[in-house]
Amino acid sequence: MIEVENLTRIFRTYRKKPGFWGGVKGLFHREFVETAAANQISFSIPEGTFVGFLGPNGAGKTTTLKMLSGLIYPTSGSARVAGFDPTRRENAYRRIFALVLGQKNQLWWDLPANESFMLLRHIYDLPAAQFRETLDELVALLGVKEKLNVMVRELSLGERMKMELIAALLHRPRVLFLDEPTIGLDVVSQRAVRQFLRDYNRRYRVTILLTSHYMADIKELCERVIVIDKGRKIYDGALDRLEAGTGSRMKIVRFIPSDLAAFPETWKSAHGETARDPADGRFTVRVPVTNVVAVSQEILTTGTVADITIEDVPLEDVIAELFSTAR
C-alpha cells in the first residue's frame, strides 16, 4: 500500500547574526544552513497494517507524513501510496487517504462539528445515504452523539480529537496518517481513542501509519515499528524484537524496604545500577537478566522489605537506548 524509496527532504534556513549590524550584513551576505529532515528513508507497508513511526522531536516524522500526503515535495527520492504519486496531488488520491495532526484543527472552531461534517460531505461529494451511515457508525463507536451540535471550541480536548477522527474517516479512506492523535489527552480519552483505532483497523483493514510519544499507543496498537533519528531510519521491524533487544538482557528490580536501618539512602547493590526515590524510599536496581536471582537474594538477606517487583525494561528506555546507539 505504501512504498517509499530514498525519500529525502532538505530544508534551507537563514542563520541571522545577532544585533542591528548583523541584520544589516544579512542584507548583502546571507549564511544558510541545510537540514535533512528526512534523509534517504525507505520502507514498504502492506495493506491493512498498523505501523508505529517513532523518533525524537525533530527526527523527521511529521515531515515524512506530509510528503506522503502531498503537502510538501521531497527534495529527492520517491513515494507511492496505493499506486499514486503524492506529489501530483490528484483528486483521486486525496479521496483515499486522510491525515490527522494532533496539534492542528481541521474543524471550524466556531461551528458545531456536525456542520463541518456536512461541509466535508459536499467536499468529497459523498452520497447522502453513505454519509449518514458512516457518520452514525463513527459517532456510535466514539460515543459523541450528544456533542454533535456543540460548538467545537466548547468541546474538551478529548472530544475534539474524536470529532477530528470522525472528520478524517467520513470518506472511508484506505490509508490513514496519524500524527500524535492522543497528545494532551487524559488517560480515559487516550484509551477510548486507542480502542477505536484498533477496532477500526481490524474491521476495515485500513493501512495506518502512527506517530506518538506515548509508548502505550505503540504497544497496544502496533506490531511493527519504524524508528528514525535525525532524518535517518535506524530500525524497521517487529515491536517485540525491538523490545527483546534490551528487554531480554536487562531487568528492573524495585523494592520498598521496611527495615530502614538495613537500607540507608546510600545503599547500593553489588549486582547492578541502583537508584532511590526520595519521595517514597523505593529502590530501583537495573541488572542484567542473569543477575536477577542474585540481586533478589542480596536484597532479602540484607533486610526485610514491604514490597518487591521484577519488571521488564520500559519501551521508552529501549527506544532511548536505540537513539543513543545510533548517534
Side-chain angles (χ1 to χ4, degrees):
M1 181 60 73
I2 302 175
E3 293 281 349
V4 173
E5 185 174 354
N6 297 324
L7 201 62
T8 300
R9 172 65 189 200
I10 296 176
F11 289 101
R12 190 166 179 256
T13 56
Y14 164 54
R15 176 179 290 176
K16 179 185 177 299
K17 294 184 178 180
F20 172 76
W21 288 111
V24 173
K25 291 177 181 179
L27 295 173
F28 303 96
H29 176 73
R30 292 199 165 197
E31 180 181 350
F32 291 92
V33 178
E34 291 188 346
T35 302
N39 192 351
Q40 297 188 338
I41 296 175
S42 299
F43 58 82
S44 175
I45 299 178
E47 183 177 5
T49 309
F50 206 134
V51 178
F53 198 37
L54 306 181
N57 291 330
K61 305 184 299 298
T62 302
T63 298
T64 302
L65 294 188
K66 287 182 176 180
M67 285 191 286
L68 294 177
S69 303
L71 294 178
I72 59 177
Y73 291 101
T75 304
S76 62
S78 63
R80 306 287 293 183
V81 181
F84 291 95
D85 180 356
T87 62
R88 299 183 64 181
R89 302 182 179 180
E90 300 169 82
N91 283 335
Y93 174 58
R94 288 186 279 190
R95 290 179 180 276
I96 61 105
F97 85 92
L99 171 65
V100 177
L101 301 173
Q103 301 184 61
K104 301 286 186 181
N105 296 318
Q106 64 174 318
L107 300 175
W108 287 90
W109 194 251
D110 292 314
L111 289 177
N114 205 26
E115 295 191 31
S116 290
F117 298 155
M118 292 296 295
L119 174 62
L120 288 169
R121 177 205 158 189
H122 291 288
I123 289 175
Y124 287 102
D125 195 22
L126 302 175
Q130 176 187 322
F131 166 77
R132 179 49 55 185
E133 179 186 355
T134 304
L135 180 60
D136 289 345
E137 179 187 17
L138 295 173
V139 166
L141 286 172
L142 287 168
V144 290
K145 183 177 181 180
E146 303 301 322
K147 302 293 183 179
L148 285 177
N149 293 309
V150 177
M151 300 293 182
V152 170
R153 58 183 166 80
E154 296 178 0
L155 297 174
S156 70
L157 185 58
E159 292 166 345
R160 289 203 302 273
M161 180 49 62
K162 291 177 182 179
M163 296 300 186
E164 293 283 347
L165 287 171
I166 292 174
L169 297 173
L170 278 174
H171 62 290
R172 299 179 180 176
R174 297 169 57 195
V175 180
L176 182 59
F177 300 121
L178 299 173
D179 188 24
E180 300 191 49
T182 58
I183 188 169
L185 302 187
D186 59 58
V187 175
V188 176
S189 296
Q190 287 180 23
R191 186 180 297 116
V193 170
R194 285 196 295 264
Q195 181 66 44
F196 168 76
L197 292 173
R198 179 168 51 246
D199 293 344
Y200 196 85
N201 170 253
R202 291 173 179 172
R203 182 177 302 186
Y204 296 106
R205 287 190 53 77
V206 176
T207 305
I208 302 178
L209 189 57
L210 164 73
T211 78
S212 179
H213 288 295
Y214 296 118
M215 291 301 104
D217 293 347
I218 304 301
K219 294 191 71 171
E220 292 187 27
L221 296 173
C222 308
E223 294 183 357
R224 173 187 170 191
V225 293
I226 299 170
V227 185
I228 65 173
D229 186 28
K230 294 183 177 179
R232 288 187 174 274
K233 186 178 72 173
I234 59 176
Y235 179 83
D236 183 357
L239 178 62
D240 55 3
R241 186 157 57 90
L242 175 61
E243 292 183 287
T246 295
S248 62
R249 300 195 307 267
M250 303 295 293
K251 292 288 184 180
I252 294 178
V253 180
R254 305 183 196 274
F255 69 96
I256 299 177
S258 52
D259 184 355
L260 299 181
F263 294 97
E265 295 184 11
T266 56
W267 183 85
K268 300 289 183 182
S269 171
H271 300 282
E273 180 183 340
T274 309
R276 179 181 179 275
D277 186 344
D280 59 6
R282 184 187 300 270
F283 283 90
T284 299
V285 186
R286 183 184 173 101
V287 297
V289 67
T290 53
N291 289 352
V292 169
V293 173
V295 75
S296 299
Q297 292 175 340
E298 177 190 25
I299 293 168
L300 296 175
T301 55
T302 300
T304 56
V305 298
D307 180 62
I308 185 170
T309 59
I310 300 172
E311 306 170 5
D312 293 328
V313 175
L315 181 58
E316 292 92 335
D317 293 352
V318 176
I319 299 294
E321 181 177 317
L322 187 63
F323 293 153
S324 63
T325 302
R327 293 174 182 179

